[in-house]
C-alpha cells in the first residue's frame, strides 16, 4: 500500500489522544502549504464571549534528533598510537 500524500493547501487533523496537560493541543495534525512546505497544526478548544472556538498554531514539523550510533562512537575512542 502506498503512503498517503496531501495535496498542497490541504491537511488532516486528529484528536490528541495523548493529551495529559492543559497546555497540550486538543487536536493536532499536518498541513501541506501551497509552496509544498509541510507544517504541523495544533488546535485548542477555547471558550469566548461568543461561545466555543478553535485557537490554532502552525509550526515546523518536529524531527526527532538522531541517536548516536554505537558502532560509529566506538571508533572515536581508538587512539592512533
Amino acid at each position: 500500500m502506498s503512503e498517503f500524500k496531501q495535496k498542497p493547501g490541504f491537511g488532516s487533523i486528529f484528536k490528541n489522544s495523548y493529551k495529559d496537560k492543559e497546555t497540550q493541543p486538543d487536536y493536532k495534525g499536518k498541513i501541506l502549504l501551497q509552496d509544498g512546505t509541510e507544517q504541523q497544526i495544533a488546535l485548542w478548544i477555547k471558550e469566548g464571549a461568543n461561545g466555543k472556538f478553535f485557537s490554532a498554531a502552525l509550526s515546523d514539523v518536529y524531527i526527532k534528533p538522531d541517536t548516536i550510533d554505537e558502532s560509529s562512537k566506538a571508533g572515536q575512542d581508538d587512539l592512533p598510537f
Side-chain angles (χ1 to χ4, degrees):
M1 184 180 251
S2 65
E3 185 178 323
F4 177 76
K5 300 264 185 183
Q6 289 287 358
K7 294 179 184 176
F10 290 87
S12 298
I13 302 169
F14 303 93
K15 186 166 182 68
N16 183 4
S17 58
Y18 297 104
K19 180 177 177 164
D20 59 0
K21 297 178 185 174
E22 192 60 33
T23 56
Q24 294 174 326
D26 296 302
Y27 294 86
K28 61 184 184 173
K30 292 184 181 175
I31 186 170
L32 187 63
L33 301 178
Q34 295 290 353
D35 67 359
T37 304
E38 190 176 53
Q39 291 276 289
Q40 285 184 196
I41 185 167
L43 298 174
W44 291 263
I45 300 173
K46 303 272 183 149
E47 186 78 35
N50 295 326
K52 289 186 177 183
F53 66 95
F54 285 113
S55 176
L58 288 177
S59 62
D60 292 333
V61 175
Y62 177 75
I63 300 173
K64 198 176 212 178
D66 291 337
T67 56
I68 298 174
D69 184 21
E70 292 299 323
S71 61
S72 64
K73 186 178 166 184
Q76 294 175 354
D77 294 338
D78 295 338
L79 297 174
F81 51 88

